[in-house]
């Protein structure tokens, strides 16, 4: 770390030290704990310092170092399916997001489990905790239904200020992310307590969501009730936007490119004990150019994009520090359980060719290098940097390989045996039952207010976090994934993956993730018996969850080419001197 960057971190390090000191002194009275659930959007596995990154994240790193750092925590390969499993404790195919609502085909849409919203068979986490006497508060990204009847206000949250779509500008222009008609720029919808609102003129997503959540907690701190607060950042999801001061910290950091940074992060992970010393790194798909093959203009554009991405992560951590500092100053931190995770792996895909988004961006946005990160820019960061975020794993968001579904996760606070790095498998569906156990309440099971509802599929992690057990699931318990025709299932140390060509083999692959976490050795041909056993478990999963298996789904146009965006990058580099606003 250079001297200039280190000096900028002093205030944050002070806050982080305060967290550790506060945690060391238990509160005089231990009632049911407050719960703070924090989710990042498209954050890669190694994008935190405690997981191997060069990005400054001292507050999250302190939580990881003094709490539990989980190295085999799994989400979905896409955002809304993860969020629906988080809120339900059940599988996304059962609770409304068998596929992304935006990508569902006619033969999927409206089928049970494919409603495109958090369906009515779910008793949401917030409702269960509200019924148990918790104040339920949320800010950030919802993405579980656009109309008011599907908003957080209708699903158990007392207070909420949310983006209902999958993404938007992080600035106050409130621009959406997908254009159907370039002449009609998309506008993102935000709702406060269910009602549509326009964001304030000084809006910046991470700053605003944190401040508003602090306000919600403060307003009820004398109620005598514990709080459940869900801080769902939209950072670092594209479009890449950040404050100039945060970008300046990283302006010169990424000029050596993603190939060098991927190897640098791997070495840091080895020193942290996160991976074995002989772990290989996925060197990237042949479709992606190596850094040295790019032109000077392309390198400059790429380096700026990654600098803005790093600034978004840095700023998110600063805001988490603000939240923690508020809790400490008000005497609430010691009795607050905190869980942090990302919703999926780093995102190397591009939305430019969805609908007519490319035309709109080239018509209205300024993606010149100097302007990237500001309001009126619309930049992604592409597969090269996403593969850095997935180090050392294979691929990224939208894939079922480890790079798409393995996410950083941290638990801290009451019920956590701190200072541990835990390597057993856990899953996003396990969060709800864990929080219910902490809150000393129960999910209603199969009936709620006279209606049939879905039971939990996840398992409480609390004994695991307390150090009473060494695993969350037994070797015979399977967890499955399917989205857009890409599939996976893990059972014990074994995992099968199906991905369309050119990213996979168009057939099932078999990996022993205990010995080969980077999924570099396909054992399907060498161990047909184990493959057969895993496929039996897969068919059980499909039957239990109502998953629709549609032949050729993963190879449909507009979905099968995820990660190919370099033609667009070259086009933008050529446009830079004369870009139109």
């Amino acid at each position: 770390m250079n001297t200039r960057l280190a000096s900028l971190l002093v205030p944050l390090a002070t806050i982080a030290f305060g967290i550790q000191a506060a945690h060391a002194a238990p509160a005089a009275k231990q009632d049911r704990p407050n719960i703070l659930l924090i989710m990042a959007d498209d954050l890669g596995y190694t994008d935190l310092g405690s997981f191997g990154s060069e990005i400054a994240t001292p507050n999250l790193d302190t939580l990881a170092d003094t709490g539990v750092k989980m190295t085999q925590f799994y989400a979905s390969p896409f955002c809304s399916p993860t969020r629906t499993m988080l809120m339900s404790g059940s599988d996304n195919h059962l609770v409304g997001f068998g596929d992304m609502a935006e990508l569902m085909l006619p033969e999927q849409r409206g089928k049970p489990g494919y409603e495109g919203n958090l369906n009515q068979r779910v008793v949401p986490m917030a409702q269960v905790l509200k019924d148990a006497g918790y104040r339920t508060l949320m800010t950030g990204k919802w993405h579980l239904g656009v109309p008011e009847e599907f908003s957080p206000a209708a699903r158990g949250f007392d207070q909420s200020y949310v983006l209902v779509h999958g993404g938007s500008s992080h600035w106050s222009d409130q621009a959406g992310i997908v254009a159907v008609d370039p002449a009609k720029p998309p506008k993102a919808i935000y709702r406060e307590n269910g009602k549509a609102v326009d964001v304030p003129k000084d809006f910046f997503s991470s700053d605003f969501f944190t401040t508003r959540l602090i306000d919600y907690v403060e307003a009820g701190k004398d109620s005598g009730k514990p709080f459940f607060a869900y801080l769902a950042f939209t950072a670092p999801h594209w479009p890449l936007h950040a404050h100039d001061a945060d970008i300046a910290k990283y302006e010169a950091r990424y000029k050596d490119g993603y190939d060098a940074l991927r190897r640098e992060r791997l070495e840091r992970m080895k020193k942290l004990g996160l991976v074995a010393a002989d772990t290989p790194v996925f060197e990237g798909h042949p479709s992606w150019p190596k850094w040295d093959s790019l032109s000077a203009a392309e390198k400059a554009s790429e380096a700026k994009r990654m600098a803005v991405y790093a600034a978004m992560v840095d700023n998110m951590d600063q805001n988490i520090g603000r939240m923690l500092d508020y809790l400490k100053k008000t005497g609430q931190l010691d009795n607050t359980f905190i869980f942090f995770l990302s919703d999926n792996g780093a995102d190397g895909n591009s939305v430019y060719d969805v609908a007519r988004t490319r035309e709109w961006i080239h018509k209205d946005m300024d993606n010149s290098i100097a302007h990237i990160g500001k309001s009126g820019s619309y930049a992604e960061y592409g597969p090269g940097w996403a593969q850095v975020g997935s180090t050392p794993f294979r691929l990224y968001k939208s894939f079922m390989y480890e790079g798409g579904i393995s996410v950083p996760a941290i638990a801290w606070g009451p019920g956590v045996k701190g200072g541990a790095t835990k390597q057993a498998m856990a899953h996003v569906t396990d969060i709800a039952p864990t929080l219910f156990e902490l809150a000393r309440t129960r999910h209603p099971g199969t009936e709620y207010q006279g209606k049939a509802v879905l039971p939990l599929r996840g398992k409480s992690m609390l004994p695991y976090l307390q150090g009473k057990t060494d695993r969350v699931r037994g070797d015979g318990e399977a967890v499955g994934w399917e989205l857009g025709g890409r599939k996976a299932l893990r059972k014990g140390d074994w995992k099968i993956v199906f991905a369309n060509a050119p990213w996979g083999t168009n057939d099932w692959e078999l990996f022993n993730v205990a010995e080969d976490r980077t999924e570099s050795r396909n054992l399907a041909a060498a161990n047909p018996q184990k493959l057969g056993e895993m496929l039996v478990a897969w068919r059980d999963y499909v039957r239990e969850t109502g998953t629709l298996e549609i032949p050729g789904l993963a190879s449909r146009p507009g979905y099968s080419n995820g990660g190919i965006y370099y033609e667009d990058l070259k086009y933008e580099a050529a446009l830079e001197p004369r870009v139109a606003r």
Side-chain angles (χ1 to χ4, degrees):
M1 184 185 299
N2 61 50
T3 303
R4 180 169 175 269
L5 181 56
S7 67
L8 291 167
L9 301 182
V10 171
L12 293 178
T14 301
I15 293 173
F17 179 80
I19 297 167
Q20 189 169 7
H23 186 48
K29 182 180 179 181
Q30 291 292 338
D31 295 322
R32 292 186 301 168
N34 302 309
I35 297 167
L36 174 60
L37 178 60
I38 308 173
M39 178 174 278
D41 197 354
D42 289 0
L43 183 79
Y45 186 83
T46 60
D47 283 334
L48 304 180
S50 51
F51 281 77
S53 179
E54 73 293 337
I55 301 171
T57 56
N59 295 293
L60 284 168
D61 294 346
T62 298
L63 292 177
D65 292 343
T66 59
V68 167
K69 180 163 54 176
M70 305 178 74
T71 65
Q72 293 198 51
F73 193 89
Y74 289 95
S76 157
F78 272 117
C79 40
S80 53
T82 290
R83 292 161 199 273
T84 202
M85 289 192 283
L86 177 71
M87 285 292 112
S88 68
S90 188
D91 188 89
N92 58 289
H93 297 88
L94 290 166
V95 299
F97 284 85
D99 207 335
M100 294 279 287
E102 300 88 342
L103 300 177
M104 284 188 198
L105 299 180
E107 53 264 50
Q108 296 172 306
R109 188 172 298 280
K111 299 288 195 308
Y114 289 78
E115 294 87 353
N117 57 74
L118 186 63
N119 67 30
Q120 297 303 313
R121 296 196 290 168
V122 172
V123 185
M125 175 196 293
Q127 188 64 57
V128 175
L129 292 172
K130 182 176 181 177
D131 291 347
Y134 274 71
R135 292 184 292 128
T136 53
L137 318 167
M138 179 188 176
T139 59
K141 176 172 166 177
W142 179 238
H143 204 194
L144 296 179
V146 174
E148 183 176 348
E149 61 264 33
F150 304 128
S151 71
R155 306 315 307 267
F157 283 96
D158 296 320
Q159 297 282 302
S160 58
Y161 195 117
V162 299
L163 168 68
V164 300
H165 296 301
S168 75
S169 169
H170 295 272
W171 298 110
S172 61
D173 54 69
Q174 208 166 323
I177 57 173
V178 174
V180 176
D181 181 351
K184 298 177 181 178
K187 182 179 180 180
I189 298 174
Y190 287 79
R191 293 188 182 278
E192 183 167 27
N193 297 329
K195 305 301 182 183
V197 293
D198 289 332
V199 300
K201 292 183 178 180
D202 61 350
F203 180 87
F204 181 74
S205 65
S206 295
D207 299 340
F208 179 85
F209 293 141
T210 305
T211 297
R212 184 54 59 100
L213 190 63
I214 290 172
D215 290 345
Y216 286 161
V217 174
E218 175 69 14
K221 72 178 181 3
D222 296 326
S223 67
K225 294 182 177 182
F227 66 76
F228 164 58
Y230 177 28
L231 179 53
F233 289 106
T234 52
H237 192 290
W238 43 264
L240 303 176
H241 291 149
H243 295 297
D244 289 342
D246 292 324
I247 297 171
K249 301 178 190 179
Y250 301 95
E251 198 82 60
R253 180 64 177 84
Y254 298 108
K255 293 182 178 179
D256 291 337
Y258 35 75
D259 296 323
L261 187 62
R262 193 163 56 241
R263 292 188 287 271
E264 178 187 318
R265 285 200 184 180
L266 179 61
E267 289 308 307
R268 197 176 291 115
M269 292 178 77
K270 291 177 179 178
K271 290 178 181 178
L272 289 169
L274 297 174
V275 295
D278 60 350
T279 299
V281 66
F282 180 62
E283 292 290 351
H285 195 275
S287 298
W288 310 336
K290 297 295 185 183
W291 182 261
D292 291 343
S293 72
L294 300 181
S295 69
E298 289 168 338
K299 287 180 178 178
S301 180
E302 285 274 282
K304 179 61 179 289
R305 293 163 192 250
M306 183 60 194
V308 178
Y309 178 90
M312 295 174 79
V313 177
D314 185 317
N315 174 267
M316 178 185 71
D317 185 82
Q318 292 177 45
N319 277 291
I320 290 170
R322 283 205 301 129
M323 185 81 211
L324 300 175
D325 197 36
Y326 161 77
L327 294 175
K328 178 174 178 285
K329 288 179 178 177
T330 55
Q332 300 177 81
L333 183 60
D334 283 340
N335 196 37
T336 299
F337 174 85
I338 301 170
F339 198 93
F340 171 88
L341 74 157
S342 178
D343 63 345
N344 46 246
D347 191 2
N349 305 282
S350 177
V351 75
Y352 272 42
D353 288 317
V354 175
R356 299 176 67 186
T357 303
R358 181 187 297 273
E359 295 175 64
W360 165 56
I361 291 171
H362 288 158
K363 171 180 171 290
D364 289 350
M365 298 294 175
D366 179 355
N367 280 346
S368 60
I369 293 171
H371 198 75
I372 290 173
K374 300 179 186 299
S375 178
S377 67
Y378 192 122
E380 303 161 326
Y381 81 160
W385 296 121
Q387 198 55 65
V388 169
S390 298
T391 304
F393 304 137
R394 184 175 172 182
L395 291 172
Y396 41 69
K397 177 180 176 177
S398 83
F399 294 94
M400 308 295 178
Y401 297 111
E402 294 291 283
I405 57 178
S406 296
V407 299
I410 300 166
W412 185 94
V416 175
K417 186 178 181 180
T421 297
K422 290 185 173 286
Q423 299 178 351
M425 176 191 176
H427 188 260
V428 64
T429 56
D430 301 332
I431 294 175
T434 303
L435 300 187
F436 299 157
E437 186 172 359
L438 275 164
R440 299 201 292 275
T441 190
R442 292 178 180 270
H443 183 274
T446 58
E447 184 178 331
Y448 181 73
Q449 295 182 348
K451 296 181 181 179
V453 295
L454 293 165
L456 296 172
R457 284 179 65 91
K459 303 186 70 173
S460 175
M461 298 179 286
L462 192 56
Y464 177 65
L465 297 175
Q466 292 172 332
K468 296 178 180 178
T469 62
D470 61 0
R471 61 177 63 193
V472 180
R473 284 177 173 76
D475 288 341
E477 297 178 75
V479 175
W481 294 261
E482 187 277 338
L483 274 172
R486 293 171 181 160
K487 316 169 191 178
L489 180 133
R490 179 161 171 182
K491 185 178 178 184
D493 291 337
W494 292 90
K495 183 182 173 189
I496 52 173
V497 182
F498 179 97
N500 57 298
W503 315 105
T505 64
N506 278 331
D507 203 350
W508 285 103
E509 300 172 76
L510 174 69
F511 304 100
N512 185 316
V513 289
E515 300 175 357
D516 177 27
R517 186 89 191 277
T518 59
E519 296 166 309
S520 58
R521 299 188 298 276
N522 179 11
L523 303 176
N527 199 337
Q529 183 176 350
K530 177 58 71 173
L531 177 62
E533 174 191 323
M534 296 292 285
L535 289 174
V536 169
W538 170 257
R539 288 190 287 273
D540 289 341
Y541 168 77
V542 169
R543 184 182 65 256
E544 291 170 7
T545 59
T547 297
L548 300 177
E549 292 191 280
I550 300 173
L553 183 60
S555 299
R556 68 190 186 274
Y559 185 80
S560 61
N561 63 338
I564 301 295
Y565 100 134
Y566 278 89
E567 287 306 311
D568 176 75
L569 174 59
K570 292 174 183 177
Y571 180 53
E572 284 191 2
L575 279 180
E576 282 169 7
R578 50 189 175 85
V579 70
R581 292 295 303 276

